[in-house]
Structure formats: C-alpha cells, structure tokens
Amino acid sequence: MRTHQREIVVSVIALVVMSLAILSYIRSVEKEKQSAGTDLFQLVAPDPDALLAVNRPSIVTRMILNQKSLYSAFSSGLPPVFLSLIKESHEGRMIFSFHPQGIVCYMKADGREVRSIEENVLQKRFGGYAPLKREKDGITYSFYAGTDSRFFGCYAYGGIWVGSYSRKLLEAVSRRQTGDGQPLPAEIGELRNAFDMNAPANILFPADDLNLYVSSDQSPEWRIRHRWLATDLFLSEGRFCCYGNLPYTSLPAVYYRSMADTLSRRVEQLYPEIHMTFQINSEENKLYYTGCAPF
C-alpha cells in the first residue's frame, strides 16, 4: 500500500514538473513572438536628431570598426560602451537614436542575450560593482556607475533591451513601448522603409547637416528642402560606400558634378578622416547618389 502511495506521489510530482516546464516553454515562445513582432523603429524616443541602424553587427565590426579611419569616424559619434555592444552583438539588428540629451541603443534580446550583455559588456566596462536597481511602472532599470561620474542605464522588457546614459530618454522609450508614448514621425517612418536592410548599416540624418545646394549664373539656387535623408552603408571592392537618393530636381546634368563635389566637401568637413567621392544620376524622378572612400 505504501509503495503504491509513493508511486502516486512521484507521478503527481512528475506531472507538476512537466506542467511547469511546458508552461515555461509556452511563455518563452510567446515572449519570442512578441519580440519578433516588435518594430524597433517604433520605439525610438521622441525628436531624434539622427538614427543609425546596424543590421549586421559582425560585418560592421570586422570590416568597418577595424579600419582606423572608419573607426575614428564611428567613435566620434558613439561612446565606447555602444561600440562594445556592436562588437559583442554578432546577430540581430541594433538601432541607435541620437538626441540632444544623449544616445539610445535598442535591440531585441532574450534572457541569454541580456545576460551576455551584462557579463561581456557592462560588467567589463563599468567594473564589478553591482548596478543600482530602480523599478518604475513595472519595468526594472539598472544603472551602472562610470568613471566620468555618469550612470549608464538600461532595461530589458518584452524581449527588447534598451540602454542610454539619459534616464529621461530611457523612460520615454519605456512609455512608448508600453503604449503611452507618441508614434514615430511619419517622414521618418516612410524613409526607413526605403532602407536596404541587407546593408551592414543605414543612417537617417538631417539634410541640413550637409547644407547641400547647387547654384550658378545660369540657374537659380537649388537646395534640399526635405528634413531627412536616408543612406545605406556598405563595402565594395575594398572601399567604404554609401548609397541613397535625393529629392528630384530638373537641373541640367552638368550641375550634378557640382552637387557631387558639394557632397564630398560636406562629408569631409564632418569627418576629415573619410575622403569620399560621389557620383549622381537621375532616374524615375529621383537623384541617386553613390559615394565611396578608400580605407
């Protein structure tokens, strides 16, 4: 009789353990579905100055960040912790949004990937001290103390990892993620749909940064009127290249060379390490530009 009772108890325990395992698996699958269906661009904090999408971190690390001139250009805009995140993230897309208050990094990450970020990036970068934990509206934020008296904050929620030196930006992203924030501006949403997501990286930046124009004695000045420009970054035959398009203009083809020269000067003013030359062609009511620079 006692043997029979033990068998019943063992069977019940086994059923409970199996049920918990199945429930845990179902929850894990649901979280993965939720994460897979999340558009990172829709989480971008309000009013970005620019966006950088790193679609293939391993290629960006191997072919771009390992080149001195390109590394200098990237590091001038991204603090070391973000460069470390790119180097350690060999799979999956990452987005960086740039704001007056700071930079935000967004990426999809399951529990294993979150632990990898903590162990291989944050603990190494900010020492072995335990981060400060703060909970707000059901989200737990971790803040790591830096040597420059700043705190790097991050949180993981719904299969998404977000990090920034700005607590205000982190909370703005979390509100957007939980449905309380404002949607992405329509113009940014339209332009990012034109990205080649197979390119190693894409950039969305204000047209005013280039101050691009063409003028002559025979033609009135033409200047970009759109606020944003979208560009794909890629590598071709040992060169670092970018590709995109500009609003159409009916200028004669002879002025495209002037426009290409202006683009080259503007890029070199922004990034003296990169000596890029451009070609511009018109097709289907758009001006397409391709710029390349040797390593």
Side-chain angles (χ1 to χ4, degrees):
M1 183 67 179
R2 290 180 179 177
T3 301
H4 183 63
Q5 288 177 337
R6 283 200 301 271
E7 291 176 350
I8 294 175
V9 171
V10 171
S11 298
V12 170
I13 292 174
L15 285 173
V16 170
V17 171
M18 289 177 61
S19 299
L20 291 175
I22 293 172
L23 181 60
S24 176
Y25 174 75
I26 292 174
R27 287 178 176 174
S28 175
V29 170
E30 289 299 321
K31 285 184 178 180
E32 289 183 5
K33 287 182 178 179
Q34 180 184 7
S35 172
T38 301
D39 183 355
L40 291 177
F41 285 96
Q42 295 298 329
L43 302 182
V44 170
D47 303 320
D49 288 336
L51 296 174
L52 167 66
V54 178
N55 305 314
R56 306 171 76 179
S58 60
I59 293 181
V60 171
T61 298
R62 186 174 70 253
M63 304 295 290
I64 296 180
L65 296 185
N66 288 339
Q67 299 292 335
K68 184 176 180 181
S69 61
L70 298 180
Y71 181 85
S72 178
F74 270 79
S75 62
S76 67
L78 287 172
V81 63
F82 293 122
L83 295 175
S84 296
L85 285 168
I86 294 175
K87 291 178 180 179
E88 289 296 329
S89 179
H90 300 298
E91 300 178 3
R93 180 173 298 116
M94 309 168 66
I95 293 177
F96 297 89
S97 62
F98 299 78
H99 309 259
Q101 307 97 314
I103 303 171
V104 186
C105 175
Y106 318 74
M107 70 175 80
K108 296 180 181 181
D110 57 22
R112 177 185 58 82
E113 292 165 329
V114 170
R115 288 191 296 272
S116 177
I117 292 171
E118 293 172 350
E119 295 171 1
N120 298 322
V121 177
L122 301 181
Q123 291 179 10
K124 290 181 180 179
R125 174 64 54 183
F126 299 107
Y129 296 103
L132 298 175
K133 301 284 187 177
R134 296 288 185 271
E135 185 172 341
K136 184 176 181 180
D137 298 329
I139 294 180
T140 300
Y141 300 86
S142 300
F143 294 94
Y144 293 81
T147 56
D148 54 0
S149 300
R150 293 194 301 164
F151 283 84
F152 182 83
C154 61
Y155 74 83
Y157 180 81
I160 307 296
W161 184 91
V162 185
S164 177
Y165 279 102
S166 170
R167 180 170 181 169
K168 183 177 180 180
L169 288 173
L170 280 178
E171 293 178 352
V173 175
S174 68
R175 287 193 298 270
R176 179 161 284 178
Q177 192 173 358
T178 55
D180 295 330
Q182 298 297 317
L184 191 71
E187 186 179 3
I188 295 180
E190 292 173 3
L191 283 172
R192 65 93 173 174
N193 287 332
F195 281 158
D196 177 3
M197 305 309 286
N198 291 318
N202 320 105
I203 294 180
L204 191 66
F205 61 96
D208 287 346
D209 284 355
L210 292 179
N211 189 27
L212 186 61
Y213 64 90
V214 175
S215 62
S216 72
D217 295 336
Q218 291 78 31
S219 174
E221 181 180 271
W222 173 87
R223 186 182 298 272
I224 289 181
R225 304 300 181 185
H226 287 216
R227 183 184 174 192
W228 296 95
L229 291 177
T231 297
D232 301 324
L233 305 182
F234 61 98
L235 301 167
S236 175
E237 299 178 349
R239 298 178 300 168
F240 172 70
C241 300
C242 64
Y243 174 81
N245 62 76
L246 303 170
Y248 177 76
T249 176
S250 58
L251 285 172
V254 67
Y255 294 116
Y256 295 166
R257 178 61 185 174
S258 175
M259 193 184 304
D261 291 341
T262 301
L263 265 174
S264 298
R265 288 195 301 271
R266 296 293 182 262
V267 171
E268 193 160 342
Q269 288 169 359
L270 291 170
Y271 304 103
E273 309 89 352
I274 300 178
H275 306 288
M276 186 167 284
T277 56
F278 284 85
Q279 291 184 343
I280 296 181
N281 300 292
S282 62
E283 184 180 345
E284 297 179 353
N285 293 330
K286 282 186 179 294
L287 295 179
Y288 293 90
Y289 64 86
T290 302
C292 290
F295 289 149

